[in-house]
Amino acid sequence: LALGLLNAKQKKADFVVILTLILPVITCWTSHYLAMDCLIALKEPLCRLILSERLRTQLVRAAGNKCEAKEKANHVLDIVSRNNFWVNIKA
């Protein structure tokens, strides 16, 4: 569900290629760079997802039924919604 919402926002933002988030591998430093580069490229669609209360609720619901999973999802969304998060990863 979350990936589908992200893909839809990218299509609305006229992305030529649909990107996906990647996880870095601890032993491969290039993967850390590529993960952050991809995250920065997805800033606009991610922010649009988070700003919509309806979509934000869907993202939290997609985390699962457990209270701990929902809290973790809300925590991640709060971090990504902060402006200093984007400033810090560009630095």
Side-chain angles (χ1 to χ4, degrees):
L1 176 68
L3 182 59
L5 292 171
L6 180 60
N7 290 348
K9 287 296 180 184
Q10 289 181 70
K11 287 178 185 175
K12 285 185 180 179
D14 292 329
F15 274 58
V16 176
V17 176
I18 301 299
L19 303 174
T20 189
L21 295 173
I22 58 174
L23 291 174
V25 179
I26 197 159
T27 58
C28 184
W29 290 105
T30 305
S31 69
H32 288 265
Y33 169 77
L34 294 173
M36 291 298 103
D37 189 53
C38 186
L39 185 61
I40 291 168
L42 289 171
K43 177 185 177 184
E44 180 183 336
L46 284 170
C47 288
R48 287 178 186 232
L49 278 176
I50 294 167
L51 290 176
S52 167
E53 193 61 41
R54 181 181 60 82
L55 294 176
R56 187 179 174 123
T57 302
Q58 286 181 347
L59 289 171
V60 172
R61 221 179 274 147
N65 293 327
K66 294 184 179 179
C67 186
E68 183 179 305
K70 290 180 180 184
E71 286 176 7
K72 188 173 183 179
N74 274 316
H75 181 68
V76 169
L77 293 172
D78 288 341
I79 290 171
V80 174
S81 66
R82 292 184 209 143
N83 191 43
N84 67 341
F85 169 77
W86 296 103
V87 171
N88 289 338
I89 64 171
K90 283 185 179 182

